[in-house]
Protein backbone atom coordinates (compact mmCIF):
# COMPACT_ATOMS: atom_id res chain seq x y z
CA UNK A 1 0.00 0.00 0.00
CA UNK A 2 1.30 3.40 -0.96
CA UNK A 3 1.33 6.18 1.56
CA UNK A 4 0.82 9.54 -0.12
CA UNK A 5 3.29 11.97 1.38
CA UNK A 6 3.63 15.45 -0.12
CA UNK A 7 7.26 16.22 -0.78
CA UNK A 8 6.33 19.92 -0.82
CA UNK A 9 4.90 19.59 2.70
CA UNK A 10 8.10 17.91 3.87
CA UNK A 11 10.16 20.74 2.41
CA UNK A 12 8.06 23.40 4.11
CA UNK A 13 8.20 21.49 7.38
CA UNK A 14 11.92 20.81 7.59
CA UNK A 15 13.71 23.39 5.41
CA UNK A 16 14.85 26.72 6.75
CA UNK A 17 13.28 29.94 5.50
CA UNK A 18 16.00 30.64 2.92
CA UNK A 19 15.85 27.11 1.52
CA UNK A 20 12.06 26.89 1.29
CA UNK A 21 11.75 29.23 -1.68
CA UNK A 22 14.60 27.50 -3.50
CA UNK A 23 13.14 24.01 -3.15
CA UNK A 24 9.43 24.73 -3.43
CA UNK A 25 9.32 24.68 -7.25
CA UNK A 26 11.23 21.40 -7.37
CA UNK A 27 8.98 19.98 -4.67
CA UNK A 28 5.88 20.74 -6.72
CA UNK A 29 7.39 18.90 -9.71
CA UNK A 30 8.22 15.89 -7.51
CA UNK A 31 4.73 15.87 -5.99
CA UNK A 32 3.27 15.87 -9.50
CA UNK A 33 5.45 12.91 -10.48
CA UNK A 34 4.51 11.10 -7.28
CA UNK A 35 0.83 11.40 -8.16
CA UNK A 36 1.54 9.99 -11.63
CA UNK A 37 3.44 7.07 -10.09
CA UNK A 38 0.56 6.33 -7.73
CA UNK A 39 -1.88 6.50 -10.63
CA UNK A 40 0.25 4.18 -12.79
CA UNK A 41 0.64 1.72 -9.92
CA UNK A 42 -3.11 1.60 -9.39
CA UNK A 43 -3.73 0.76 -13.06
CA UNK A 44 -0.84 -1.61 -13.77
CA UNK A 45 -0.70 -5.17 -12.49
CA UNK A 46 2.43 -5.88 -10.45
CA UNK A 47 5.34 -7.39 -12.35
CA UNK A 48 7.24 -10.59 -11.65
CA UNK A 49 10.33 -9.79 -13.71
CA UNK A 50 11.96 -6.57 -14.92
CA UNK A 51 14.39 -6.93 -17.85
CA UNK A 52 17.10 -4.28 -17.80
CA UNK A 53 19.13 -3.85 -21.01
CA UNK A 54 20.45 -1.31 -23.52
CA UNK A 55 18.09 -0.83 -26.45
CA UNK A 56 20.14 1.29 -28.88
CA UNK A 57 23.86 1.55 -29.58
CA UNK A 58 25.11 5.10 -29.04
CA UNK A 59 27.33 5.08 -32.13
CA UNK A 60 25.41 3.10 -34.75
CA UNK A 61 21.98 4.05 -33.39
CA UNK A 62 20.96 0.50 -34.27
CA UNK A 63 19.21 -1.95 -32.00
CA UNK A 64 21.71 -3.77 -29.79
CA UNK A 65 22.33 -7.50 -29.50
CA UNK A 66 21.27 -7.07 -25.88
CA UNK A 67 17.82 -5.97 -27.03
CA UNK A 68 17.42 -9.04 -29.24
CA UNK A 69 18.50 -11.39 -26.46
CA UNK A 70 16.28 -9.61 -23.95
CA UNK A 71 13.28 -10.06 -26.25
CA UNK A 72 13.97 -13.79 -26.56
CA UNK A 73 14.06 -14.02 -22.75
CA UNK A 74 10.88 -11.95 -22.53
CA UNK A 75 9.10 -14.32 -24.94
CA UNK A 76 10.08 -17.39 -22.94
CA UNK A 77 9.02 -15.82 -19.64
CA UNK A 78 5.65 -14.80 -21.08
CA UNK A 79 5.12 -18.39 -22.21
CA UNK A 80 5.67 -19.46 -18.61
CA UNK A 81 2.91 -17.10 -17.51
CA UNK A 82 5.04 -14.44 -15.84
CA UNK A 83 4.23 -10.74 -15.88
CA UNK A 84 7.34 -9.18 -17.44
CA UNK A 85 8.47 -5.58 -17.89
CA UNK A 86 10.39 -5.27 -21.17
CA UNK A 87 10.43 -1.61 -22.18
CA UNK A 88 10.47 -2.18 -25.95
CA UNK A 89 7.10 -3.94 -25.75
CA UNK A 90 5.66 -2.91 -22.38
CA UNK A 91 5.90 0.81 -23.11
CA UNK A 92 4.92 0.73 -26.78
CA UNK A 93 1.30 1.59 -25.93
CA UNK A 94 2.43 4.46 -23.69
CA UNK A 95 3.41 6.79 -26.55
CA UNK A 96 2.83 10.39 -25.65
CA UNK A 97 2.98 9.66 -21.93
CA UNK A 98 5.78 10.08 -19.41
CA UNK A 99 7.53 6.73 -19.03
CA UNK A 100 9.08 7.23 -15.59
CA UNK A 101 5.93 6.51 -13.52
CA UNK A 102 5.56 3.14 -15.26
CA UNK A 103 9.26 2.33 -14.91
CA UNK A 104 9.31 3.24 -11.22
CA UNK A 105 6.16 1.23 -10.55
CA UNK A 106 7.59 -1.82 -12.35
CA UNK A 107 10.93 -1.58 -10.52
CA UNK A 108 9.06 -1.38 -7.23
CA UNK A 109 6.76 -4.36 -7.85
CA UNK A 110 9.09 -6.78 -9.68
CA UNK A 111 10.73 -9.46 -7.54
CA UNK A 112 13.39 -10.33 -10.13
CA UNK A 113 15.53 -8.11 -12.32
CA UNK A 114 17.47 -9.60 -15.21
CA UNK A 115 20.38 -7.31 -16.11
CA UNK A 116 21.24 -8.34 -19.68
CA UNK A 117 24.60 -7.30 -21.09
CA UNK A 118 27.08 -8.20 -23.83
CA UNK A 119 29.41 -5.23 -23.30
CA UNK A 120 30.76 -3.59 -20.16
CA UNK A 121 29.84 -0.15 -21.51
CA UNK A 122 26.24 -1.27 -22.07
CA UNK A 123 25.91 -2.23 -18.41
CA UNK A 124 27.18 1.21 -17.49
CA UNK A 125 25.12 3.21 -19.97
CA UNK A 126 23.36 6.00 -18.08
CA UNK A 127 19.80 4.70 -18.12
CA UNK A 128 20.74 1.02 -17.84
CA UNK A 129 22.81 1.75 -14.74
CA UNK A 130 20.03 3.98 -13.44
CA UNK A 131 17.60 1.05 -13.50
CA UNK A 132 19.81 -1.63 -11.96
CA UNK A 133 21.18 0.81 -9.38
CA UNK A 134 17.70 1.70 -8.21
CA UNK A 135 16.74 -1.98 -8.06
CA UNK A 136 19.83 -2.78 -5.99
CA UNK A 137 18.90 0.04 -3.65
CA UNK A 138 15.38 -1.36 -3.29
CA UNK A 139 16.87 -4.77 -2.47
CA UNK A 140 18.33 -3.31 0.71
CA UNK A 141 14.85 -2.93 2.19
CA UNK A 142 13.12 -5.79 0.33
CA UNK A 143 15.00 -9.06 0.83
CA UNK A 144 12.69 -10.88 -1.58
CA UNK A 145 14.03 -8.95 -4.56
CA UNK A 146 16.78 -10.65 -6.60
CA UNK A 147 18.98 -9.23 -9.36
CA UNK A 148 20.43 -11.75 -11.82
CA UNK A 149 23.19 -10.51 -14.18
CA UNK A 150 22.81 -12.25 -17.55
CA UNK A 151 26.00 -11.79 -19.54
CA UNK A 152 27.64 -12.97 -22.76
CA UNK A 153 30.95 -12.32 -24.52
CA UNK A 154 32.41 -10.65 -21.43
CA UNK A 155 34.23 -12.02 -18.41
CA UNK A 156 32.08 -12.23 -15.31
CA UNK A 157 34.79 -10.32 -13.48
CA UNK A 158 34.46 -7.43 -15.95
CA UNK A 159 30.87 -6.72 -15.00
CA UNK A 160 30.03 -3.76 -12.77
CA UNK A 161 31.62 -3.95 -9.34
CA UNK A 162 28.16 -3.81 -7.78
CA UNK A 163 27.42 -7.27 -9.25
CA UNK A 164 30.40 -9.04 -7.70
CA UNK A 165 28.42 -10.81 -4.97
CA UNK A 166 25.51 -11.73 -7.24
CA UNK A 167 25.11 -15.09 -8.94
CA UNK A 168 24.97 -14.47 -12.69
CA UNK A 169 23.98 -16.51 -15.71
CA UNK A 170 26.28 -16.96 -18.70
CA UNK A 171 24.02 -16.58 -21.74
CA UNK A 172 26.61 -18.31 -23.94
CA UNK A 173 26.37 -21.51 -21.92
CA UNK A 174 24.39 -24.45 -23.31
CA UNK A 175 21.12 -24.74 -21.41
CA UNK A 176 21.20 -21.11 -20.27
CA UNK A 177 17.49 -20.51 -20.87
CA UNK A 178 16.42 -23.66 -19.02
CA UNK A 179 18.67 -22.78 -16.09
CA UNK A 180 17.33 -19.23 -16.01
CA UNK A 181 13.68 -20.30 -16.10
CA UNK A 182 14.26 -22.86 -13.37
CA UNK A 183 16.03 -20.30 -11.21
CA UNK A 184 13.26 -17.73 -11.63
CA UNK A 185 10.71 -20.41 -10.86
CA UNK A 186 12.43 -21.15 -7.56
CA UNK A 187 12.56 -17.48 -6.63
CA UNK A 188 8.94 -16.73 -7.46
CA UNK A 189 7.47 -20.14 -6.63
CA UNK A 190 6.59 -22.48 -9.48
CA UNK A 191 2.82 -22.41 -8.97
CA UNK A 192 2.40 -19.58 -6.49
CA UNK A 193 -0.08 -16.84 -7.38
CA UNK A 194 1.45 -13.47 -8.00
CA UNK A 195 1.58 -11.56 -4.72
CA UNK A 196 3.42 -8.29 -4.66
CA UNK A 197 3.23 -5.70 -1.90
CA UNK A 198 3.97 -2.13 -2.92
CA UNK A 199 5.70 -0.63 0.06
CA UNK A 200 5.08 2.79 1.52
CA UNK A 201 7.20 5.11 -0.54
CA UNK A 202 8.12 8.75 -0.49
CA UNK A 203 9.23 9.99 -3.88
CA UNK A 204 12.24 12.23 -3.39
CA UNK A 205 14.60 13.99 -5.72
CA UNK A 206 16.85 10.89 -5.59
CA UNK A 207 14.19 8.78 -7.30
CA UNK A 208 13.21 11.25 -10.00
CA UNK A 209 14.77 10.60 -13.38
CA UNK A 210 14.03 11.70 -16.92
CA UNK A 211 11.46 9.87 -19.00
CA UNK A 212 14.34 9.24 -21.40
CA UNK A 213 15.17 6.21 -19.24
CA UNK A 214 13.37 4.02 -21.77
CA UNK A 215 15.81 5.03 -24.51
CA UNK A 216 18.65 3.09 -22.94
Amino acid sequence: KWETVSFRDLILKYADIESQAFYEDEAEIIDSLQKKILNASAKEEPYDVFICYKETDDITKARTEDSLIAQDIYTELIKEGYKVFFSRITLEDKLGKEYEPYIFSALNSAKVMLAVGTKYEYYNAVWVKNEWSRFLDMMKSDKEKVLIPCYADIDAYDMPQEFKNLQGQDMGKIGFMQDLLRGIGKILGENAPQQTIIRETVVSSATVVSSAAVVS
Side-chain angles (χ1 to χ4, degrees), residues 122-151:
Y122 284 176
Y123 270 129
N124 284 281
V126 174
W127 298 117
V128 176
K129 185 172 183 178
N130 177 279
E131 289 177 350
W132 60 251
S133 293
R134 284 198 283 171
F135 195 83
L136 283 174
D137 191 55
M138 291 176 180
M139 286 170 58
K140 295 175 183 177
S141 58
D142 186 346
K143 302 306 179 183
E144 294 183 358
K145 285 182 176 292
V146 178
L147 190 153
I148 303 174
C150 298
Y151 60 93

Side-chain angles (χ1 to χ4, degrees), residues 5-61:
V5 180
S6 170
F7 189 68
R8 180 178 181 276
D9 290 344
L10 292 175
I11 288 291
L12 296 178
K13 181 177 180 181
Y14 294 108
D16 55 50
I17 299 299
E18 291 78 10
S19 300
Q20 284 182 7
F22 180 79
Y23 287 116
E24 190 165 0
D25 288 342
E26 182 182 2
E28 289 180 357
I29 294 173
I30 293 173
D31 279 343
S32 175
L33 178 56
Q34 183 183 42
K35 291 175 183 177
K36 292 175 182 177
I37 290 173
L38 292 171
N39 185 54
S41 299
K43 293 181 179 179
E44 296 287 307
E45 292 184 15
Y47 288 89
D48 296 307
V49 181
F50 188 111
I51 303 179
C52 173
Y53 69 101
K54 185 165 178 58
E55 174 66 30
T56 306
D57 185 87
D58 294 334
I59 298 176
T60 66
K61 307 304 179 184

